[in-house]
Every structure is written in C-alpha cells, then in structure tokens.
Amino acid sequence: LIIRYLSETYGVDPDARLSAGDRALALAWRRTIEEHYHQAFEHQLFFGRGGAERLQQFASTMPPVVRSIAPAIMLRQFRNQLWARGVGRHVEADIIAMGQSDLDAASVFLGDRPYFLGDQPTNIDACAFGFLGVTVYVEGDNPLFRHAASLPNLMAYTERMRARYFPETR
C-alpha cells in the first residue's frame, strides 16, 4: 500500500520495465518474504537468542509508567500473532529451519545479479532489503541471523542497497 501510494503520488513506478512474468515473480517473492520469512524473523527477533534483551532495550525508550509492563504485553501479542498465523505452532528448531530455507532460496534466486530482477532495483528490492537489512544488522548471536550473514551474495546485496539508499549509515 505504501509503494502504491508513493507511485500514485509521485508518478514513479520502479517496476515499469518489468515484464508481466517478472511482476508475477516479484509478487511471489514479496509474499514469501512478507508472509513467511517475516514470521521466522519475528520469532527469532523476540523469542530467539537475545530477544529478551532487544525487547528490554526497546522498552527502555518508553515512558517509565509503560516500561515495566510493555515487554510482557508485547511478547503475549507477538506469541498470539505467530500462533494464529501458523509458524508459532512449531518448535524453535523448525522455525529457524524454515527461515533458513527462505534465505537459501533468496540467495539462489538472487545469484550473481546486483538486484533481484536485474541491474536496477525494483519494488521487490525495497521489500527484500527491508527484511534482509534488519536480519544481517541485528545484534546478537542468533542462528537465523548468522545464517543470513553467511550467504555472501545476500551480504553483498544488503551492503549494495545500504550504500545506495542509506550512505550515511556506512
């Protein structure tokens, strides 16, 4: 919805050069990332190694009156959402394996191309970088995040996107 709004408001379509087949492929990848990988990532972000510390760090930015109760409420909400969506019904090892499979598939699909669908970024790159960036730059020793960092082409892709769109963070 955000991308559609920006495209309609500013008249820019990063996917204009894509064929109908490439648009279909981009949609499938976007849904894989947003609907499946996101769940494995979220599980590991909050329930995996370092999750409690990340949640406490986030809560520390809140007003004092909310700070003590927010983590418990947030964890309950995340747990309920992951359960309702299905991934939360599995054991942690399986959730990690699912996320790693998504990362492996993305790595194979990206191959040696600079962007997911060629030489220029498209909407799928905005989505992919949104998740891969936080995956590889999150602090902590987590098997899912470590796996992403072990895939050279995904790391190079993430660095390329970061340098292009967020040069001030380098």
Side-chain angles (χ1 to χ4, degrees):
L1 295 176
I2 293 168
I3 290 172
R4 185 174 74 200
Y5 168 80
L6 292 172
S7 293
E8 290 170 359
T9 302
Y10 298 102
V12 176
D13 180 6
D15 291 348
R17 66 175 180 76
L18 297 182
S19 68
D22 283 345
R23 285 176 185 261
L25 199 53
L27 176 65
W29 269 107
R30 193 183 87 224
R31 293 211 172 134
T32 296
I33 294 166
E34 291 177 345
E35 300 300 327
H36 192 267
Y37 178 72
H38 173 243
Q39 292 180 64
F41 166 80
E42 185 175 283
H43 182 275
Q44 287 302 287
L45 187 64
F46 296 111
F47 300 105
R49 285 188 217 153
E53 293 82 4
R54 279 187 288 279
L55 199 54
Q56 283 296 48
Q57 183 179 17
F58 176 69
S60 73
T61 66
M62 298 176 178
V65 79
V66 180
R67 203 173 290 162
S68 63
I69 60 170
I73 293 169
M74 291 171 66
L75 279 178
R76 185 172 62 242
Q77 289 290 9
F78 288 132
R79 191 177 310 281
N80 289 344
Q81 287 175 20
L82 289 169
W83 181 267
R85 293 170 75 191
V87 168
R89 297 170 189 253
H90 300 283
V91 298
E92 183 176 38
D94 290 341
I95 295 170
I96 292 168
M98 285 184 244
Q100 289 173 335
S101 293
D102 291 339
L103 292 168
D104 289 341
S107 176
V108 169
F109 181 74
L110 178 63
D112 60 0
R113 290 188 304 260
Y115 301 102
F116 272 85
L117 290 172
D119 293 335
Q120 294 298 317
T122 62
N123 285 326
I124 187 57
D125 294 293
C127 173
F129 177 68
F131 286 97
L132 292 174
V134 291
T135 298
V136 300
Y137 299 127
V138 73
E139 291 182 24
D141 179 32
N142 180 290
L144 183 59
F145 306 155
R146 244 188 1 256
H147 185 72
S150 77
L151 299 168
N153 68 334
L154 288 187
M155 284 302 297
Y157 167 82
T158 304
E159 284 298 314
R160 187 168 34 261
M161 290 291 286
R162 183 179 182 186
R164 182 174 182 145
Y165 294 104
F166 302 97
E168 70 279 3
T169 63
R170 300 199 76 198

